Structure formats: structure tokens, C-alpha cells
Amino acid sequence: MSLQVIDNATCTFCGCVCDDIQLHHDEFKIHKAKKACVLGTAWFLNHTAERKYPDALIDGKEATLDEAIEAAAEFLHEADMPLVYGMSNTTCEAQRECAALADQLGGLLDSHTSL
Amino acid sequence: MYWGGNPAECHPRHFTKYTIMQKSKFLPRGRKDRTMVLVDIRETKSVKASDIFLQVRPGKDFELITILRALIKDQPVGDDQIAETGLTREVLEDLVKRMKAAKFGCMFFGMGLSMTRGKHMNSAALLTLAAEMNAYTKFVAMPMRGHGNVTGADVMMRWQTGYPFGITFNRGYPRYNPGEFSTVDVLVRGDCDAAFIIGADPGGTMPQPAIDHLKRIPTIVLDPHVTHTSKLARVHITTASQGIAAPGTAYRMDEIPMPLKPALKSPYPTDEDVVRRINAAISRKPFWLPEGSQPQMLTAQV
């Protein structure tokens, strides 16, 4: 089967966010990342579309996504001072939702920048 | 000028794509038209790419920046003060001369500056140095961001709350105070009683007392992998990795937004989707303030 090609793909491994990568991929994995550096190549080639991990874990036991979302909402709602932290390896769209989450909870909002 | 960073190994394409190699209208010879200065405590692989390497004594960055700020204004600096930084007056005077002669100077500072003795005071000093250089020529300074979209997090929080990080909503409106509301401090003091971690692995990077507190409280982790933090968390949700299987936007370290072009279809939901669903689940529960005292919410603008 021939590989599909994506031109000018964006690499989000480091802060450079290079946007000129050529990806050669099939349904399951990326086979080649042209123009990417060593770090970017490892980033693209090591992620696959496989189901490597369970959908969710609650107290170390496998759970469904719906159960995990309900449990997360319960823990955060119960807390007096919840913390929303991270947001580095995620999209701006998800970050916006995180800001809304902290706002709704009356909690703390922070990123890697403060480390 | 790169200060306390090792782009050759940590941002391999930074030289070729953004800083020293590109040919341009005003710098037609590319690398030959530029001078690169590297300031670090040891010889890294980036030294080979630099024209001038200044090996500063560990923990003396703030002193060195302060001396440079004095030298550019021709203020007197003692020999013993220069000796403390591990450099010589000759080298520093040559650097100051080159900085003033430059048409456009750019400083990039890494964690070697911002995470060592002096911390944010070092960054503040370097930004002041860059600002003061503008009395002589054009100078700018920019942090070298490590993780993919950490710049996006700053931009997004600034847009939504007015502050870049270290924010609390506990009075119903955003307040900013790093040191009080920044994560490491909050965790080490044991202030928070639940944690929601997304796109980060504090279990692998934070000081032990902070990790211990994450173990004590209910921690929720969203990550494409089962990480160190997932192992100590009460809830872990696997999500699609950004840019590979999840679409969206990521900010480059100079605050240019880039669209992501995912190549794969993940069996997992995106971060955005999961956080939105958690938000919806929480909004079905009673609000945390007593009835009738709800503050006006920031609504996500599209």
C-alpha cells in the first residue's frame, strides 16, 4: 500500500513548532518525517494509532471514559481548592477549556511557565 | 546571544530555521553577517556554532548581567567583581562594543538562566539589559520554550484571564501572584486539595515534596501515555496526542499560532473533548458559592 503524504505538517515537540515537516504515513503509524530534526523524528515516529493504553484508569483499575469523566468531575467539584496545571503538550483549544474549568471551579490555573 | 541554553541539542533547528543561518534582504550572506554569542556554565555542543563563548561561573549569571548593564553605560566596575563571574574585563568590553555596534540584537535565554540561582530575577535582569540596550541599538529578548505549546498556554491564559500563569479564581475573578498561586509552591505547602493535570508530567519533574502532595490528594491526569503522574493519580484518561492525532492550534515560541495537521486517527478522544465533557459534568452539579452569589463567568469566546 502506498503511503499518504502530508506537506507542511507542524511538529509540536519543542517550542520551535516547525511547520515545514513532510509526513509519510498510513493508517497506523508515521513512517517518515522529512525535514524534522532528531527530536522531531522521534516524536512523530514513536506515536502510533494503536490502542496501547486503557481508555481510562480509576485508582489503577481500567474504567470507561464516561466513568472516568464522572469521577474526575466529582473529585474536582468536591475540592475546596482544586488546581488546574500543565497545558504544555496540548492544543490551544484544550487550554481554553482548561481556563473555563478553573473559572467554573473557583480554582487555581497554572502552566509550566511558573516552574 | 544565547544565554543558558543548548539549542544544538534541545532546539536543533533553531539556528538554521530562525536565527543565524537564514539569508535575508539585509543580511544576504546569512551566517557570515551575524555574530553569535553563547553564555553558559559549560561547553555544550552549541559552542561549535558560536563565534564567542563566555563560560560564566555557575550561579553568577545575575552578577554578569548586572556588570554588562553597568559597562554599557560606562559606569565603573571593580576587577574583583568581574573576576567573580569567571570572565575578564577584556572579554566583557569586547562584548559590549559588539553589542552596541550591532544593528539588531536578539537574546534567547534558556532554563540555564531562568531555573538556576536567582531564577526569575535572572530573567528580569536580562530583559532589563535588552531594554537598556535600546538606548544604543535595537535589542530584543525571548525565552527559549521547551515543551511544544507552552507559549500557547501563556497566550491563552492572558487572553482569558489577563494574566499569563499563577492564577487563582477563588474569589470568583482571576488574581495573579506567582509564588503564592504557582504550582510548585501550592503543592509543596500542601494548599490544594485536588489536582487536574493535562499535558504535563509533574511526577517526573517536580521536587519530591510536591509529588508527595499529589499522592495525598485526588489527582486527575489527561495524557496520551500512562505517565509517572498517572501512576500516582486517582483518575487517568488517555487522550489523542496533539499534532499527531489531535487537530488544533499550537503557538511557536515567538507567539505565532500554527495550525496542526494530524496524520493519524486516534482511538482516544482529544484533550479538548474530554475537558469540555468534564466541564459539562461539573456544571450539572450545584455551584460552589451559595445560591444567589454567583459571579459573572468568563465565557469562552469563539
Side-chain angles (χ1 to χ4, degrees), chain B residues 2-56:
Chain B
Y2 287 92
W3 199 304
N6 181 9
E9 283 180 284
C10 302
H11 300 86
R13 298 184 71 202
H14 205 265
F15 294 146
T16 48
K17 209 163 173 314
Y18 305 116
T19 52
I20 55 177
M21 305 304 283
Q22 291 288 343
K23 289 180 178 147
S24 63
K25 185 177 173 187
F26 297 109
L27 303 167
R29 294 183 302 152
R31 179 70 184 91
K32 290 195 195 83
D33 285 333
R34 293 182 174 92
T35 308
M36 176 185 152
V37 181
L38 180 73
V39 186
D40 209 342
I41 55 161
R42 62 195 157 83
E43 274 194 46
T44 60
K45 279 194 180 161
S46 304
V47 173
K48 225 167 41 182
S50 67
D51 298 304
I52 302 168
F53 171 56
L54 305 181
Q55 189 163 5
V56 60

Short mmCIF file of all heavy atoms in Angstrom, two decimals, chain B residues 2-56:
data_model
loop_
_atom_site.label_atom_id
_atom_site.label_comp_id
_atom_site.label_asym_id
_atom_site.label_seq_id
_atom_site.Cartn_x
_atom_site.Cartn_y
_atom_site.Cartn_z
N TYR B 2 22.74 33.61 22.89
CA TYR B 2 22.02 32.57 23.62
C TYR B 2 22.57 32.52 25.05
O TYR B 2 23.79 32.45 25.24
CB TYR B 2 22.24 31.21 22.96
CG TYR B 2 21.50 31.03 21.65
CD1 TYR B 2 22.11 31.34 20.44
CD2 TYR B 2 20.21 30.53 21.64
CE1 TYR B 2 21.44 31.17 19.25
CE2 TYR B 2 19.53 30.34 20.45
CZ TYR B 2 20.15 30.66 19.25
OH TYR B 2 19.48 30.49 18.07
N TRP B 3 21.69 32.56 26.01
CA TRP B 3 22.14 32.61 27.41
C TRP B 3 21.52 31.42 28.16
O TRP B 3 20.31 31.33 28.28
CB TRP B 3 21.71 33.92 28.05
CG TRP B 3 22.48 34.26 29.29
CD1 TRP B 3 22.61 33.49 30.40
CD2 TRP B 3 23.23 35.45 29.54
NE1 TRP B 3 23.41 34.11 31.32
CE2 TRP B 3 23.80 35.32 30.83
CE3 TRP B 3 23.50 36.61 28.80
CZ2 TRP B 3 24.60 36.31 31.40
CZ3 TRP B 3 24.29 37.59 29.38
CH2 TRP B 3 24.84 37.44 30.65
N GLY B 4 22.38 30.53 28.66
CA GLY B 4 21.90 29.40 29.46
C GLY B 4 21.01 28.45 28.70
O GLY B 4 20.04 27.95 29.25
N GLY B 5 21.35 28.20 27.45
CA GLY B 5 20.58 27.25 26.66
C GLY B 5 21.50 26.45 25.76
O GLY B 5 22.65 26.85 25.54
N ASN B 6 21.01 25.35 25.27
CA ASN B 6 21.82 24.50 24.39
C ASN B 6 21.00 24.13 23.16
O ASN B 6 20.56 23.00 23.00
CB ASN B 6 22.23 23.24 25.16
CG ASN B 6 23.10 22.31 24.34
OD1 ASN B 6 23.55 22.67 23.24
ND2 ASN B 6 23.33 21.11 24.84
N PRO B 7 20.78 25.13 22.27
CA PRO B 7 19.88 24.89 21.13
C PRO B 7 20.37 23.75 20.22
O PRO B 7 19.53 23.07 19.62
CB PRO B 7 19.86 26.22 20.39
CG PRO B 7 20.96 27.04 20.96
CD PRO B 7 21.24 26.53 22.32
N ALA B 8 21.69 23.53 20.13
CA ALA B 8 22.17 22.49 19.23
C ALA B 8 21.57 21.13 19.58
O ALA B 8 21.36 20.28 18.72
CB ALA B 8 23.69 22.41 19.26
N GLU B 9 21.29 20.92 20.87
CA GLU B 9 20.73 19.63 21.27
C GLU B 9 19.25 19.70 21.65
O GLU B 9 18.55 18.71 21.55
CB GLU B 9 21.55 19.06 22.44
CG GLU B 9 22.86 18.48 21.95
CD GLU B 9 23.69 17.91 23.08
OE1 GLU B 9 24.29 18.72 23.83
OE2 GLU B 9 23.75 16.69 23.21
N CYS B 10 18.80 20.86 22.12
CA CYS B 10 17.41 20.94 22.61
C CYS B 10 16.45 21.56 21.60
O CYS B 10 15.26 21.26 21.62
CB CYS B 10 17.35 21.74 23.90
SG CYS B 10 18.37 21.05 25.19
N HIS B 11 16.93 22.43 20.74
CA HIS B 11 16.12 23.01 19.68
C HIS B 11 16.94 22.94 18.39
O HIS B 11 17.42 23.97 17.90
CB HIS B 11 15.77 24.48 19.97
CG HIS B 11 14.99 24.68 21.24
ND1 HIS B 11 15.60 24.81 22.46
CD2 HIS B 11 13.66 24.76 21.46
CE1 HIS B 11 14.65 24.97 23.39
NE2 HIS B 11 13.47 24.94 22.81
N PRO B 12 17.13 21.72 17.85
CA PRO B 12 18.14 21.53 16.80
C PRO B 12 17.98 22.42 15.56
O PRO B 12 18.95 22.77 14.91
CB PRO B 12 17.98 20.07 16.41
CG PRO B 12 17.32 19.43 17.58
CD PRO B 12 16.45 20.48 18.19
N ARG B 13 16.75 22.84 15.24
CA ARG B 13 16.58 23.62 14.02
C ARG B 13 16.52 25.12 14.29
O ARG B 13 16.24 25.90 13.37
CB ARG B 13 15.32 23.15 13.28
CG ARG B 13 15.42 21.69 12.84
CD ARG B 13 14.23 21.29 12.03
NE ARG B 13 14.21 21.90 10.72
CZ ARG B 13 13.11 22.06 9.99
NH1 ARG B 13 11.95 21.67 10.47
NH2 ARG B 13 13.17 22.60 8.79
N HIS B 14 16.75 25.51 15.52
CA HIS B 14 16.64 26.93 15.86
C HIS B 14 17.63 27.77 15.08
O HIS B 14 17.30 28.83 14.55
CB HIS B 14 16.85 27.10 17.37
CG HIS B 14 16.21 28.33 17.93
ND1 HIS B 14 16.88 29.50 18.09
CD2 HIS B 14 14.94 28.56 18.35
CE1 HIS B 14 16.05 30.42 18.60
NE2 HIS B 14 14.87 29.86 18.77
N PHE B 15 18.89 27.29 14.97
CA PHE B 15 19.94 28.02 14.24
C PHE B 15 19.56 28.17 12.77
O PHE B 15 19.58 29.25 12.21
CB PHE B 15 21.27 27.27 14.30
CG PHE B 15 21.88 27.17 15.67
CD1 PHE B 15 22.61 26.04 16.03
CD2 PHE B 15 21.75 28.21 16.57
CE1 PHE B 15 23.19 25.95 17.28
CE2 PHE B 15 22.33 28.12 17.82
CZ PHE B 15 23.06 26.99 18.18
N THR B 16 19.25 27.03 12.14
CA THR B 16 19.08 27.05 10.70
C THR B 16 17.77 27.71 10.28
O THR B 16 17.71 28.38 9.26
CB THR B 16 19.10 25.61 10.14
OG1 THR B 16 18.23 24.82 10.94
CG2 THR B 16 20.49 25.04 10.17
N LYS B 17 16.72 27.52 11.08
CA LYS B 17 15.42 27.98 10.64
C LYS B 17 15.15 29.43 11.07
O LYS B 17 14.49 30.17 10.37
CB LYS B 17 14.34 27.06 11.22
CG LYS B 17 13.10 26.96 10.35
CD LYS B 17 12.29 25.75 10.79
CE LYS B 17 10.96 25.63 10.13
NZ LYS B 17 10.11 26.73 10.03
N TYR B 18 15.64 29.81 12.25
CA TYR B 18 15.21 31.11 12.78
C TYR B 18 16.32 32.12 13.02
O TYR B 18 16.09 33.31 12.91
CB TYR B 18 14.45 30.91 14.10
CG TYR B 18 13.29 29.97 13.98
CD1 TYR B 18 13.27 28.77 14.67
CD2 TYR B 18 12.23 30.28 13.15
CE1 TYR B 18 12.20 27.90 14.56
CE2 TYR B 18 11.16 29.42 13.02
CZ TYR B 18 11.15 28.22 13.73
OH TYR B 18 10.11 27.37 13.61
N THR B 19 17.50 31.69 13.44
CA THR B 19 18.42 32.71 13.93
C THR B 19 19.64 32.98 13.06
O THR B 19 19.70 34.03 12.42
CB THR B 19 18.90 32.39 15.36
OG1 THR B 19 19.39 31.06 15.39
CG2 THR B 19 17.78 32.52 16.36
N ILE B 20 20.59 32.08 13.00
CA ILE B 20 21.88 32.52 12.42
C ILE B 20 22.10 32.17 10.95
O ILE B 20 22.89 32.81 10.29
CB ILE B 20 23.08 31.99 13.26
CG1 ILE B 20 23.02 30.49 13.42
CG2 ILE B 20 23.11 32.67 14.62
CD1 ILE B 20 24.20 29.93 14.18
N MET B 21 21.41 31.16 10.42
CA MET B 21 21.75 30.70 9.08
C MET B 21 20.97 31.39 7.95
O MET B 21 21.44 31.47 6.83
CB MET B 21 21.53 29.19 8.95
CG MET B 21 22.27 28.37 9.99
SD MET B 21 24.04 28.66 10.00
CE MET B 21 24.53 27.74 8.57
N GLN B 22 19.75 31.84 8.24
CA GLN B 22 18.88 32.35 7.17
C GLN B 22 19.48 33.57 6.47
O GLN B 22 19.98 34.48 7.12
CB GLN B 22 17.51 32.72 7.74
CG GLN B 22 16.68 31.54 8.19
CD GLN B 22 16.14 30.72 7.04
OE1 GLN B 22 16.10 31.17 5.90
NE2 GLN B 22 15.74 29.50 7.35
N LYS B 23 19.37 33.56 5.14
CA LYS B 23 19.78 34.74 4.37
C LYS B 23 18.57 35.65 4.23
O LYS B 23 17.45 35.16 4.09
CB LYS B 23 20.29 34.32 2.99
CG LYS B 23 21.62 33.62 3.11
CD LYS B 23 22.16 33.18 1.78
CE LYS B 23 23.51 32.54 2.00
NZ LYS B 23 23.80 31.47 1.07
N SER B 24 18.80 36.95 4.28
CA SER B 24 17.67 37.86 4.19
C SER B 24 18.08 39.10 3.41
O SER B 24 19.25 39.26 3.03
CB SER B 24 17.19 38.24 5.59
OG SER B 24 18.23 38.92 6.25
N LYS B 25 17.13 40.00 3.21
CA LYS B 25 17.38 41.21 2.43
C LYS B 25 18.54 42.01 3.02
O LYS B 25 19.42 42.47 2.30
CB LYS B 25 16.12 42.06 2.41
CG LYS B 25 16.22 43.27 1.52
CD LYS B 25 14.92 44.04 1.49
CE LYS B 25 15.10 45.33 0.72
NZ LYS B 25 13.90 46.18 0.80
N PHE B 26 18.54 42.16 4.34
CA PHE B 26 19.58 42.99 4.96
C PHE B 26 20.80 42.18 5.39
O PHE B 26 21.84 42.75 5.69
CB PHE B 26 19.00 43.73 6.16
CG PHE B 26 17.90 44.67 5.77
CD1 PHE B 26 16.58 44.41 6.09
CD2 PHE B 26 18.19 45.80 5.02
CE1 PHE B 26 15.58 45.27 5.70
CE2 PHE B 26 17.19 46.67 4.62
CZ PHE B 26 15.87 46.40 4.95
N LEU B 27 20.68 40.87 5.43
CA LEU B 27 21.81 40.01 5.78
C LEU B 27 21.98 38.97 4.67
O LEU B 27 21.71 37.78 4.88
CB LEU B 27 21.58 39.34 7.13
CG LEU B 27 21.33 40.27 8.33
CD1 LEU B 27 20.82 39.51 9.52
CD2 LEU B 27 22.59 41.03 8.68
N PRO B 28 22.41 39.41 3.48
CA PRO B 28 22.42 38.50 2.32
C PRO B 28 23.40 37.33 2.48
O PRO B 28 23.26 36.31 1.81
CB PRO B 28 22.82 39.42 1.16
CG PRO B 28 23.48 40.58 1.79
CD PRO B 28 22.87 40.75 3.15
N ARG B 29 24.42 37.49 3.33
CA ARG B 29 25.39 36.40 3.46
C ARG B 29 25.05 35.46 4.61
O ARG B 29 25.86 34.61 4.98
CB ARG B 29 26.79 36.98 3.62
CG ARG B 29 27.28 37.71 2.37
CD ARG B 29 28.68 38.21 2.53
NE ARG B 29 28.78 39.10 3.69
CZ ARG B 29 29.90 39.26 4.40
NH1 ARG B 29 30.97 38.58 4.10
NH2 ARG B 29 29.92 40.09 5.43
N GLY B 30 23.87 35.61 5.20
CA GLY B 30 23.42 34.68 6.23
C GLY B 30 24.33 34.63 7.44
O GLY B 30 24.53 35.63 8.12
N ARG B 31 24.91 33.48 7.67
CA ARG B 31 25.74 33.26 8.85
C ARG B 31 26.89 34.25 8.94
O ARG B 31 27.24 34.72 10.03
CB ARG B 31 26.28 31.82 8.83
CG ARG B 31 27.18 31.46 10.00
CD ARG B 31 26.37 31.37 11.28
NE ARG B 31 27.19 31.11 12.46
CZ ARG B 31 27.71 32.06 13.22
NH1 ARG B 31 27.54 33.33 12.91
NH2 ARG B 31 28.41 31.76 14.29
N LYS B 32 27.48 34.59 7.80
CA LYS B 32 28.68 35.45 7.80
C LYS B 32 28.34 36.86 8.25
O LYS B 32 29.21 37.60 8.72
CB LYS B 32 29.29 35.50 6.39
CG LYS B 32 29.94 34.20 5.97
CD LYS B 32 30.83 34.42 4.74
CE LYS B 32 31.19 33.10 4.10
NZ LYS B 32 30.15 32.59 3.19
N ASP B 33 27.08 37.27 8.10
CA ASP B 33 26.68 38.62 8.50
C ASP B 33 26.28 38.71 9.97
O ASP B 33 25.91 39.77 10.43
CB ASP B 33 25.49 39.08 7.64
CG ASP B 33 25.96 39.46 6.24
OD1 ASP B 33 27.12 39.86 6.11
OD2 ASP B 33 25.16 39.33 5.30
N ARG B 34 26.31 37.58 10.65
CA ARG B 34 25.84 37.59 12.03
C ARG B 34 26.94 37.19 13.00
O ARG B 34 27.89 36.50 12.63
CB ARG B 34 24.67 36.62 12.20
CG ARG B 34 23.41 37.01 11.45
CD ARG B 34 22.32 36.01 11.75
NE ARG B 34 21.04 36.38 11.19
CZ ARG B 34 20.61 36.00 9.98
NH1 ARG B 34 21.37 35.26 9.21
NH2 ARG B 34 19.42 36.38 9.56
N THR B 35 26.79 37.63 14.24
CA THR B 35 27.69 37.18 15.31
C THR B 35 26.84 36.45 16.33
O THR B 35 25.79 36.96 16.74
CB THR B 35 28.36 38.39 15.99
OG1 THR B 35 28.97 39.20 14.97
CG2 THR B 35 29.42 37.93 16.98
N MET B 36 27.30 35.26 16.69
CA MET B 36 26.55 34.54 17.71
C MET B 36 27.39 34.43 18.99
O MET B 36 28.54 34.02 18.96
CB MET B 36 26.18 33.13 17.23
CG MET B 36 25.50 32.34 18.34
SD MET B 36 25.18 30.65 17.86
CE MET B 36 25.22 29.86 19.47
N VAL B 37 26.79 34.83 20.09
CA VAL B 37 27.44 34.75 21.40
C VAL B 37 26.70 33.71 22.22
O VAL B 37 25.47 33.66 22.21
CB VAL B 37 27.40 36.11 22.12
CG1 VAL B 37 28.11 36.03 23.47
CG2 VAL B 37 28.00 37.19 21.25
N LEU B 38 27.45 32.85 22.89
CA LEU B 38 26.83 31.85 23.76
C LEU B 38 27.34 32.07 25.18
O LEU B 38 28.55 32.18 25.39
CB LEU B 38 27.18 30.45 23.27
CG LEU B 38 26.61 29.28 24.08
CD1 LEU B 38 25.12 29.12 23.83
CD2 LEU B 38 27.32 27.99 23.72
N VAL B 39 26.44 32.17 26.13
CA VAL B 39 26.82 32.27 27.53
C VAL B 39 26.31 31.03 28.24
O VAL B 39 25.11 30.75 28.19
CB VAL B 39 26.24 33.54 28.20
CG1 VAL B 39 26.80 33.69 29.61
CG2 VAL B 39 26.54 34.77 27.36
N ASP B 40 27.19 30.27 28.83
CA ASP B 40 26.76 29.06 29.53
C ASP B 40 27.81 28.71 30.58
O ASP B 40 28.91 29.25 30.56
CB ASP B 40 26.57 27.91 28.54
CG ASP B 40 25.50 26.92 29.02
OD1 ASP B 40 25.18 26.93 30.22
OD2 ASP B 40 25.01 26.13 28.20
N ILE B 41 27.46 27.78 31.45
CA ILE B 41 28.42 27.43 32.51
C ILE B 41 29.38 26.34 32.06
O ILE B 41 30.39 26.09 32.70
CB ILE B 41 27.68 26.96 33.79
CG1 ILE B 41 26.73 25.80 33.48
CG2 ILE B 41 26.93 28.10 34.43
CD1 ILE B 41 26.34 25.01 34.70
N ARG B 42 29.05 25.63 30.95
CA ARG B 42 29.98 24.61 30.47
C ARG B 42 29.93 24.55 28.95
O ARG B 42 29.03 25.09 28.33
CB ARG B 42 29.65 23.24 31.07
CG ARG B 42 28.30 22.75 30.69
CD ARG B 42 27.86 21.60 31.58
NE ARG B 42 26.41 21.53 31.56
CZ ARG B 42 25.71 20.92 30.61
NH1 ARG B 42 26.30 20.30 29.62
NH2 ARG B 42 24.39 20.93 30.64
N GLU B 43 30.91 23.86 28.38
CA GLU B 43 30.98 23.75 26.92
C GLU B 43 29.98 22.72 26.43
O GLU B 43 30.14 21.53 26.66
CB GLU B 43 32.40 23.34 26.51
CG GLU B 43 33.31 24.51 26.35
CD GLU B 43 34.59 24.16 25.61
OE1 GLU B 43 34.51 23.48 24.56
OE2 GLU B 43 35.65 24.56 26.09
N THR B 44 28.93 23.17 25.77
CA THR B 44 27.95 22.25 25.20
C THR B 44 28.21 22.13 23.71
O THR B 44 29.13 22.76 23.17
CB THR B 44 26.53 22.78 25.43
OG1 THR B 44 26.42 24.05 24.79
CG2 THR B 44 26.23 22.93 26.91
N LYS B 45 27.36 21.34 23.03
CA LYS B 45 27.53 21.19 21.58
C LYS B 45 27.25 22.49 20.84
O LYS B 45 27.65 22.65 19.70
CB LYS B 45 26.59 20.09 21.08
CG LYS B 45 27.16 18.70 21.32
CD LYS B 45 26.41 17.64 20.54
CE LYS B 45 27.02 16.28 20.82
NZ LYS B 45 26.09 15.21 20.46
N SER B 46 26.53 23.42 21.49
CA SER B 46 26.22 24.69 20.83
C SER B 46 27.46 25.58 20.68
O SER B 46 27.45 26.51 19.89
CB SER B 46 25.14 25.44 21.62
OG SER B 46 24.00 24.65 21.76
N VAL B 47 28.52 25.30 21.45
CA VAL B 47 29.72 26.14 21.40
C VAL B 47 30.29 26.16 19.99
O VAL B 47 30.72 27.21 19.50
CB VAL B 47 30.77 25.62 22.41
CG1 VAL B 47 32.08 26.37 22.24
CG2 VAL B 47 30.27 25.77 23.83
N LYS B 48 30.22 25.01 19.31
CA LYS B 48 30.80 24.91 17.96
C LYS B 48 30.14 25.90 17.00
O LYS B 48 30.76 26.38 16.07
CB LYS B 48 30.64 23.47 17.45
CG LYS B 48 31.90 22.97 16.81
CD LYS B 48 31.92 21.46 16.55
CE LYS B 48 30.63 20.90 16.05
NZ LYS B 48 30.66 19.45 15.85
N ALA B 49 28.86 26.17 17.21
CA ALA B 49 28.14 27.08 16.32
C ALA B 49 28.39 28.54 16.63
O ALA B 49 28.08 29.41 15.83
CB ALA B 49 26.64 26.78 16.40
N SER B 50 28.98 28.82 17.80
CA SER B 50 29.07 30.21 18.23
C SER B 50 30.39 30.86 17.82
O SER B 50 31.39 30.18 17.59
CB SER B 50 28.91 30.29 19.75
OG SER B 50 30.01 29.67 20.39
N ASP B 51 30.38 32.21 17.71
CA ASP B 51 31.61 32.95 17.45
C ASP B 51 32.33 33.25 18.76
O ASP B 51 33.54 33.23 18.82
CB ASP B 51 31.28 34.27 16.75
CG ASP B 51 30.62 34.04 15.40
OD1 ASP B 51 31.23 33.33 14.58
OD2 ASP B 51 29.51 34.53 15.19
N ILE B 52 31.55 33.58 19.77
CA ILE B 52 32.13 33.92 21.07
C ILE B 52 31.45 33.06 22.13
O ILE B 52 30.22 32.99 22.16
CB ILE B 52 31.90 35.41 21.41
CG1 ILE B 52 32.51 36.29 20.32
CG2 ILE B 52 32.47 35.75 22.78
CD1 ILE B 52 32.08 37.73 20.42
N PHE B 53 32.26 32.39 22.95
CA PHE B 53 31.68 31.60 24.04
C PHE B 53 32.16 32.17 25.37
O PHE B 53 33.36 32.31 25.59
CB PHE B 53 32.08 30.12 23.91
CG PHE B 53 31.69 29.30 25.11
CD1 PHE B 53 30.38 29.26 25.55
CD2 PHE B 53 32.64 28.56 25.80
CE1 PHE B 53 30.02 28.52 26.67
CE2 PHE B 53 32.30 27.80 26.91
CZ PHE B 53 30.98 27.78 27.35
N LEU B 54 31.22 32.55 26.21
CA LEU B 54 31.58 33.07 27.53
C LEU B 54 31.19 32.03 28.57
O LEU B 54 30.01 31.72 28.73
CB LEU B 54 30.83 34.37 27.82
CG LEU B 54 30.96 35.51 26.82
CD1 LEU B 54 30.18 36.71 27.30
CD2 LEU B 54 32.43 35.89 26.63
N GLN B 55 32.20 31.48 29.24
CA GLN B 55 31.91 30.48 30.26
C GLN B 55 31.79 31.17 31.61
O GLN B 55 32.78 31.53 32.24
CB GLN B 55 33.00 29.40 30.30
CG GLN B 55 32.60 28.25 31.19
CD GLN B 55 33.45 27.00 30.93
OE1 GLN B 55 34.39 27.03 30.15
NE2 GLN B 55 33.09 25.92 31.58
N VAL B 56 30.54 31.36 32.02
CA VAL B 56 30.29 32.07 33.27
C VAL B 56 30.34 31.06 34.42
O VAL B 56 29.97 29.91 34.24
CB VAL B 56 28.93 32.81 33.21
CG1 VAL B 56 27.78 31.85 32.98
CG2 VAL B 56 28.67 33.62 34.48
#
